[in-house]
Amino acid sequence: MKRNCPSLLAALTVGVLVNVLLRCQSAYWPRAGVATLVFCAPLLALTGRLFSAAWRSGDNPLFRVLFAILLFYTSALELLRFWDLSKRLYPGILSLTAICFMTLLPVIYLRRVSAISQTAHVVLCLLILATTFMLLTVLPRLCLTNLQVNPLTLSDFSAAAKEQLVLYPEYLLPAFLPDQTKTPRHPLLRVAVSALAFDVGIHFVLELFYGAALPLCVDPVHAVARCGALSIFNRLESLQLILWAMAITLKLALYLYGISLLLIPDTKNATSVRLQSFPLYFAGLWLLCAFLHKTDLQAAMQTRSTLTWLLVLLVVMGGVASWLCKKLKRCF
């Protein structure tokens, strides 16, 4: 890729789509999801835009450190979630150390922005192909009679909005990424709409498959894939695991690039991560995963989302205060 700083839109999109595929349990009915998507997607995009404007207006070293810590903590949670999923689906095969090696070592190759961008397009295509193939294999098992006709309650819409308004770091990273060439207009809105539409679409397929049992299913996407009419997913477990590992690795590489931009001042416009950073990053992330391996991941993910919203609030307040100070200085 010849551009000095290629677009990371595909990497951001993969980052939010992975959360749909690796979710252990479905959270809402698709009819409610369609209704809440209309305002949740613009709200997430608007939050990202406000965060970017406030970040550039009141760049603060404390905020940079807090955001870097949040990214590092999120990286550990992503690894633990992947390990937890592998323990349920492939018991006794992969240890936490093996998961760390399998996902972190390829990050060395992805230390350049061009490599992240190229790999993101490949992974995005593979995710789309795998999802399409899964739909084709389970098509005979999808029944229209499984669609629920019960009237939706306020709690149904609340559950859908709560699930869709999880604020992932991908919505905030563009605030300090270097200017990228040929980035489409409203990239955050595109990412939010793509993620939530994909989420609602997967929930619709799951409802056609499970019917009223949808809220009770654990790892529903994987269970649907294994029940495919072609019955080949049992022979493609390794390929599925590799695809998930590629997607997680891409997320970790994106987060590491963000941490590098936040903590190392002279890399503000850099397009790669220093090799000297990797030993400390690998060791620190492995130790954090070992420390948190008994944590309730669902509660930890909810806490992470809450902390992300609090960070946005702090940065926006700091940006507004900085803007007011500049206006007052001009007046006096």
Side-chain angles (χ1 to χ4, degrees):
M1 192 167 288
K2 297 181 180 180
R3 299 197 299 271
N4 291 330
C5 192
S7 174
L8 291 175
L9 182 61
L12 297 174
T13 304
V14 170
V16 292
L17 292 185
V18 168
N19 301 295
V20 178
L21 297 177
L22 299 186
R23 182 186 294 119
C24 66
Q25 189 168 355
S26 181
Y28 61 85
W29 295 108
R31 285 181 296 157
V34 171
T36 55
L37 182 150
V38 176
F39 69 87
C40 285
L43 180 58
L44 289 173
L46 180 61
T47 300
R49 289 291 300 272
L50 288 175
F51 181 84
S52 297
W55 185 273
R56 290 162 185 158
S57 175
D59 193 355
N60 188 303
L62 177 60
F63 293 156
R64 301 180 77 88
V65 173
L66 290 177
F67 199 1
I69 293 174
L70 180 65
L71 289 176
F72 192 74
Y73 177 64
T74 302
S75 300
L77 292 183
E78 294 292 345
L79 282 173
L80 289 174
R81 184 171 63 165
F82 185 38
W83 181 48
D84 186 63
L85 180 67
S86 66
K87 284 194 302 181
R88 292 196 304 272
L89 303 181
Y90 318 103
I93 295 180
L94 295 172
S95 64
L96 177 58
T97 301
I99 288 290
C100 289
F101 272 103
M102 183 172 64
T103 54
L104 290 177
L105 285 181
V107 175
I108 298 177
Y109 166 74
L110 297 175
R111 70 186 188 92
R112 298 185 181 279
V113 178
S114 57
I116 294 176
S117 179
Q118 289 174 325
T119 307
H121 285 87
V122 173
V123 174
L124 185 59
C125 291
L126 290 176
L127 285 175
I128 294 174
L129 289 175
T131 304
T132 303
F133 185 71
M134 183 196 74
L135 293 178
L136 291 176
T137 61
V138 301
L139 191 60
R141 292 175 175 264
L142 302 182
C143 302
L144 291 176
T145 54
N146 283 336
L147 292 177
Q148 301 301 296
V149 295
N150 297 331
L152 297 174
T153 63
L154 184 60
S155 61
D156 294 323
F157 291 103
S158 176
K162 180 181 178 181
E163 183 68 21
Q164 292 181 349
L165 287 178
V166 174
L167 188 62
Y168 297 107
E170 282 82 359
Y171 295 113
L172 308 182
L173 286 174
F176 54 86
L177 292 177
D179 293 334
Q180 302 172 27
T181 58
K182 297 184 179 180
T183 300
R185 296 184 62 184
H186 310 297
L188 288 177
L189 184 59
R190 289 170 178 257
V191 171
V193 170
S194 299
L196 298 188
F198 181 72
D199 195 13
V200 172
I202 290 294
H203 277 78
F204 178 69
V205 173
L206 294 177
E207 184 180 3
L208 290 175
F209 189 88
Y210 289 108
L214 174 61
L216 306 176
C217 299
V218 177
D219 299 319
V221 176
H222 182 81
V224 169
R226 292 182 118 181
C227 293
L230 299 182
S231 301
I232 67 170
F233 271 87
N234 288 332
R235 299 193 294 270
L236 294 179
E237 297 287 358
S238 57
L239 294 179
Q240 179 180 250
L241 186 63
I242 290 172
L243 179 59
W244 287 349
M246 289 172 61
I248 294 295
T249 297
L250 189 65
K251 283 173 69 76
L252 297 179
L254 188 63
Y255 291 166
L256 177 59
Y257 178 57
I259 292 172
S260 176
L261 294 178
L262 288 167
L263 297 183
I264 306 176
D266 59 348
T267 60
K268 184 176 181 180
N269 294 313
T271 58
S272 64
V273 179
R274 293 178 176 179
L275 284 174
Q276 299 91 321
S277 305
F278 283 93
L280 181 61
Y281 173 72
F282 290 164
L285 199 53
W286 181 81
L287 289 174
L288 183 58
C289 289
F291 178 75
L292 298 174
H293 75 282
K294 293 185 178 180
T295 303
D296 183 350
L297 286 181
Q298 185 175 0
M301 286 290 183
Q302 293 174 353
T303 302
R304 190 280 312 270
S305 180
T306 302
L307 292 175
T308 306
W309 280 105
L310 288 176
L311 178 64
V312 170
L313 180 61
L314 288 175
V315 171
V316 170
M317 290 173 60
V320 171
S322 177
W323 179 78
L324 289 176
C325 289
K326 291 178 183 178
K327 287 292 185 181
L328 291 176
K329 287 182 180 179
R330 291 179 181 176
C331 293
F332 296 101

